[in-house]
Each structure stands twice: as structure tokens, then as C-alpha cells.
Amino acid sequence: MTKREIKKILFLLGFVGLIGLLSLVFNFPHNNSDRVKAADVTLSTTVQSYISLSISSGSTIAFGNLTPGTPICAGSTVASVTTNATNGYTVGLSDGAVGTGSALLHTDMTTRIADYAGTIADPTLWTGTGLGISCYAADTSKEAAWGTGTTLCDANNEYAGVPETATTAHTVTGYHELVDTSSWSWEIDVPNSQKIGAYSGNVTFTATAVLS
Amino acid sequence: MRGKKVLLLLVALGFLVFPAAFSSAQTNQKGIQISPLTYNFEIQPGGSQTAKITLTNRNDEILNFIMETEDFAAVSEEGAPSFTVTPKKEGVTTLADWIAFPSVKEGAIEPKGEKEITFAINIPQQAEPGGHYAAVFAKEVKKTPEGKTEIGVASRVGTLLLISVPGLVTKTAEITEFSPPKFVWRGPVDLKMKVQNTGSVHYDSLAQVVLKPLWGKEGTVEMGTHTIIPKSIRSYEGKWDKRYPLGYYRLKATAQDGDKGEVEKSATLIAIPLEIAVPVLVVLIIILIVIKYVRRHYKVIANQPPGGPPAAVEPLAPSSPPSKPSSSPDLEQGTPAGEPAESAGESEPPVAPESPTDEENTPTESAEEELSGPDSVSAAPTTGGSVGAPTESAGDESSKPDLAPAKPSEGERSPLPDENAASETLEDGSLPEQTAQPSEPSSSPDLEQGTLPADEVPADQSPASAANPPEPTAPPELPTDDEESAADAPTPDAYGRDVGEEPSKPDLVPAEPSEGENSLPDENAAPETSEDDSSPEQTAPVGEAPTEETTPPPSSTDDKPVSEPSTPTAGEVDEPGPTEADKPLENVIDEEENSTAPPKIRPPQSRGAKSE
């Protein structure tokens, strides 16, 4: 080996050693993952289930003047339900009136207009007299029992009288993130024997969760 | 200009209104809200439990509310509570009565405000152990309209309370319905089951369906967990996601009761996915069609008429001695012919040797055989040699078309009158000779069938006989019967010619006496030979019996001309042994009759045995 070659080798070794020193000094390439210390914060919370019910329209239904034998199909009531219930919700109807009397009570506080003969379990196309209600539209799974009508006062709507206690009239199963609405139409007729005068009352829409 | 301004204004208004509308949509949640939705408590008799519910007014107006309670005793299959009120006896209270609102029962909530409502559940000491169910409602209070005929609609929301009073309770369950489809064409498969709580307290029931195939791994479909209150039925639904289920499955539905025990119900399911079944069916159908096609094609070849394609004839030709050309042509053609051959075949047993190919082979063969009678038998082996075997196969004819002809079954003979055949056989005696004459090329196929020519020509004159003078003894026996049958019936029918040739039969007839005489050593041969052989006619004419017996003939025929006492092997039989043929039929017959020599019989025996 010539001197020149020896110098070259020494030069290379020195260069490599310098690089090594630099890498140690600057920790290059450095991995500072060990330097990071965990500072986790445990977070916890429980989201409560809820349900809200709003009568977004038709909270008051005015039937106007009734002529016995001439049914009147009044405006619709839209019930909006919002819930995070996993299994869905149910809408029940009730009027608190005992027996076959409807919510419409005469000013004499005694006489009532009767319920329509159809029941929530078995609604029927409108025939006869009384106060009836029908679900003609729903965002989710309208029950077939309510007939094939899709609009207010549709001849194919099937009606039921409103029971005394909350009876399930519309059920939506499963989780629904958004507002879910159902539309209801009212129809009324009275027999000739109906006492003249003004009748009024309240019908309650009840929303509860479906059991898991 | 004015219109443009209006448009600009409308657009500007739109921008202003739209965001508002959008924001309102986002915050559309209105009405009265309650939380949480359910409470599930176990409370000892005499105990008490307090809880809170939160009411929120989502409206922009003040909300007046009132708290209510109501019992429910059942839920629908989906889980919706039914608040139907049942009349209560005096002094009897329910959960709805045990709930109290110590702080607030009614009030008002500011817009967007909320209020906590505390309620207490006080279980009477005498409370019945088991489940008690009610709901706490927050109801919007609305003023009742007055003076008008109208209805006000109020909203109400509730929290369900499931209260369990410990004690003597039962937590039994029953699967009331589990009826999956019995047959499915494809997956996924919807599974449904219903579980009833037959106990006295509610519980959560986990249900699942286990699908067990005849082979392979089990599958499990989780149907979910539902809370079931006493006397209520809950519906479970699940989906078996297997897309292409195949086979027979046993499905076992299980549901937990309140004690974590399990109730179960089984069903079966057969799955045949169309995506698999259809292609398989198509392939099977194609295979069947191909098989049918092949069979038909094969049959066509086999059934080709006597004059038909040489292929069918060919198999016969090789076996037959080439020597005798003159008589052959017709016979040869006859051999291939299916039906005639059959008739002949029956009688043929002896004849079989030559035209082993087709049983059907035309009457010519039968005729030949008959004519050649025993000779044919012996000859058959010779000619058929290889063919000889087929004689045995008479029954196998179907399988061995070529051989078949050589070995006509008895049944085939039926058409041919035995007597005639016998007479012919005598005449045919010459035929065997023909067969025996392998040397002669022309005669070969024809010769075999050559029996026909023999018919035409007097037995003695028959070319075969002339050609094959040697060993007369053996042949006469077998051929006699066969010949008779063959000569009579088949030949004419199958090949018309034979019929025309029949006139020669009279010549043969004289030979028939052998039948009457039973000169044929059938008796001796009989033991081995078929029954037919034993019969006098059979022995001599051979016609009938031998045909059936043909199967063995091939061996016997081979060589052992009648003269040889030793029983010829089947192959021998087949071999017509030119020697036999050589002898004039009459002479042979005479010898046989006189001698009743067993050796003669043997050749036919072989056939007879076969025929049997």
C-alpha cells in the first residue's frame, strides 16, 4: 500500500467517525417516542334515552257547524316524535271519556258525541256517525289497518273512535335519528238525535318508548 | 327594469329566509320531552324507591304540564305497552297508585327550559310478588276550547316503570311459535320466533337459532334480547345470512327464561339454492341427452338393415369363412338385419357362430343355422370362432350386437316354426359344412348365412356341404332344430329371398325325417344340451332347442366335429368345423339317428346348454 492509499483510508475512516459522532450528538435519526409520556384522561358519560312529542300542526281542530247526516272531514293533526330509543317508539291515543263517548262534550257537561264505531284494532271506512280519527300518512311504516288512503279526507282512509285510555295507534320500531311524523285526519258526523249545541274536548297523543 | 328589481329583491329575500328556514329545520325539535324512557327496579314489599325524570320544554312558549301515572299489563309483540285500564276492585291498588310525586306533580316550564321531577315508588307490604308495570307521564295541559265544536290535541310523553317485587315468583318461558320456511331456494333466510313469558315476573330473554346441517359446521343466528312481561309474547326476528345454503338443516330455536334456563323448539329446513340447482340440473339434462344420443346412435348402427352399412355387416364377415361367395351375399346382408336375425337367433343357437354380430342378423343366419343345424352349430364356432362366444351371449345379444346374431335366443325362434326349421336343418346340414369350409373365401359371411343358399339348394347340393364334406356327425344335431325354425320362418321374412328360396325346402324336408326319427343323438347330448335338445325333434332338427342352447355351442363347435365323442367346447361348437359340413346333411343325420352317438349330440349340447 502506498502512502496515498493509506491516507485515503484514514480519511474515509475519519469521515465515517465524524458522521457517527454527529449522529450521536444530534441523535440523528432520532426517535423521541420514548420521550412522550402518556397523559391519558379517562372520559365517561351516559347518554340518557329520551322522547319528545310535538303536535306540529292541528293541535286544535274546529269542525264548524255540523248537519246531522253530513259527515265533516276536518283538518289534519301532525304528530312529530323525536327519540333516541333503540327499539323505537309508539304513539297512543286516548280521550279519557268513559265508554263510547268521545272527547266532545256538550256545554251542558253531560252530553257527548259518540265515538265512531271503528276501533284502533279494527278501523273501518267511514260509515255512520261519531268522532273518528285515521292515520293517513306516516314517515315510517304506516299500519295497513288505517286503510289505503294517503291524503287527508281520502275516501280510503279507515277510521276509529278514540278510546278512553292510551291505546297504541302507531308503532315505529328500530332506531330513528330524525324526527318521525305521522299525520292524522278527523271525521265527524252526528245523528239527527244529537243535542244541539257546542261540543268540545281534548284528545291526547301519548308517546312512549318500545320495550327493548 | 322594474321586473329586474323585483327579481333581485326576491333573490335577496330568499338568501335571508333560507338560512333561517334551514336553522329552524335543525332545531325543529319541539314539544315536551321526557328522559329517561324506562326504569327497572326490584323493590321489596314495603320498600320504596325514588327516581327522577327530566322534563324539557322544546317549545318557544311556556309549557304547562301535569304528571300522571297509568298501569299497563301487556305489551305488543313489538314491545309497545298497552295502557288498557282494567277495572279494579275496591281496596285493590296497583303500581300506578303506589307512585307519588312528593315535590312537584304539575307546573310550568319556561321555553327551552327543563325541570327534574322526582317520584317515589312505595311498595305496599301486601304487594303481590312478581311484576308490576306502569308509566309516569308528563302531559301538556291545554285549555279546553269553549263555545265551539272543536277538539284540542294534547301531547303526553312517558317513562315506563318495570317493578319486580321479589317473593314466590316464576320465570318460565315458552316458545309459542317457530316456523321457519321448510324449503328455501336461496339465502338469506328470515327466521322468526315468538316467546311467551309464562311466569309471573318480567325478564330479559335471549333467543337464538342453531342451524345444524347434516354435515359441516353449525351456524348460529342471534335473534336478540327482549324484555318480556308476564303473559305477553314477544316476537324475535333474525336473518341467516348464508347466501347459498345447501342441504338439510335441523333448526333449534332456544330462548332463555328468567332463570337463564333454556326452552327450545326444533324445525327442519331444506335449502337448494337455485344458483346451484339450476346449473346442476342443466348439466344432468345435458348428460342424459348425450347418453340418449349415444345410445340411439349406437342402436342405429346395430339395427341397420341387412343391406345397410357395411360396418354392421363387417363384424360378421370376418367370422364367416370367406370361401363361399355365392350363397353368402344374401346371407351376409341378412346377418346384419336385426329382426330376422333374432328369429334366427332363437333357432340359431347353433347357427350363431357365423353371424355372431347381430342376433337380429336376419333370418338368413337363422336359416343357415337351421339349415346347417348341428352343422351350423359346429360351424358357427368355427366361423365365429371368436364369434362362437357370442352364441352364449345370446342373452347378451344386446351388448354384443355382432355376436348376437350368431346366438339367436330361443325367443327369437318362436317366430319360426320348429318343424320347418328342423326340416331345414337337415337341409342346412350342408351349411355347417359351409362354415366348416373356411378355406373358401367367398362363402365366408354368406356361407354362414349360407344356410340360405343351402335352402335354395338341396342340402346335399348346398355349396357348403360340397365344400365341407368332412365330419358330418356333430353338426347335424345342433343344426337340425335350429335349422328347422330358422329355415321356416326367419329366412323368408327377413330376407324375402329365403322365402323365395323355400322351394328348396322340400328338399330339406326329406331330411326332416331325422326329426321324427330323432336320429339326432340328442338324448345323449341332452344331458348337457338344453331340454330342447333332449326332445326328439330338437335333437335331430335342433332348430328350437339348439338356438337357446347356442350359448355353449361356440366351444363345442370348434372342432369337434360330430365324429369326436368328446364334448366340444363352446368355442368348438362355434366352429362349424368344415368337416361336418363336408358330410352331406342326410348322411350326417342318418349317422346320428342310427348311432345316437353322444359325440354328435355333444356339439348340439353345447348349444343346447347355451340355449337353456
Side-chain angles (χ1 to χ4, degrees), chain B residues 309-330:
Chain B
V313 177
E314 290 178 356
L316 297 175
S319 64
S320 64
S323 63
K324 300 176 180 178
S326 65
S327 62
S328 64
D330 298 343

Side-chain angles (χ1 to χ4, degrees), chain B residues 428-476:
Chain B
D428 295 343
S430 63
L431 293 176
E433 295 175 354
Q434 294 175 348
T435 57
Q437 299 171 344
S439 63
E440 297 176 357
S442 62
S443 63
S444 62
D446 299 342
L447 293 176
E448 295 173 354
Q449 299 169 347
T451 55
L452 293 176
D455 293 346
E456 296 175 351
V457 177
D460 296 343
Q461 296 176 348
S462 65
S465 63
N468 303 330
E471 299 180 359
T473 57

Side-chain angles (χ1 to χ4, degrees), chain A residues 48-55 58-64 77 82-83 85 90 104 131 165-166 168 198-212, chain B residues 29-37 70 75 78-81 83-85 137 139 142 144-145 147-158 160 162 226-227 234:
Chain A
Q48 292 283 353
S49 58
Y50 74 90
I51 189 168
S52 67
L53 172 62
S54 167
I55 305 301
S59 59
T60 300
I61 305 297
F63 294 104
T77 294
T82 306
T83 181
T90 180
L104 294 175
L131 174 66
T165 57
T168 300
Y199 294 79
S200 60
N202 287 328
V203 168
T204 302
F205 278 58
T206 301
T208 60
V210 165
L211 281 178
S212 63
Chain B
Q29 195 172 349
K30 290 187 176 181
I32 183 172
Q33 176 177 307
I34 193 170
S35 177
L37 298 179
E70 202 166 300
V75 296
E78 292 79 20
F83 294 96
T84 302
V85 173
F137 294 109
K139 180 181 178 182
K142 293 193 68 171
T144 301
K148 297 179 180 178
T149 300
E150 63 181 24
I151 275 187
V153 178
S155 53
R156 185 173 73 158
V157 291
L160 303 178
L162 308 178
H226 288 319
T227 301
R234 293 299 301 273

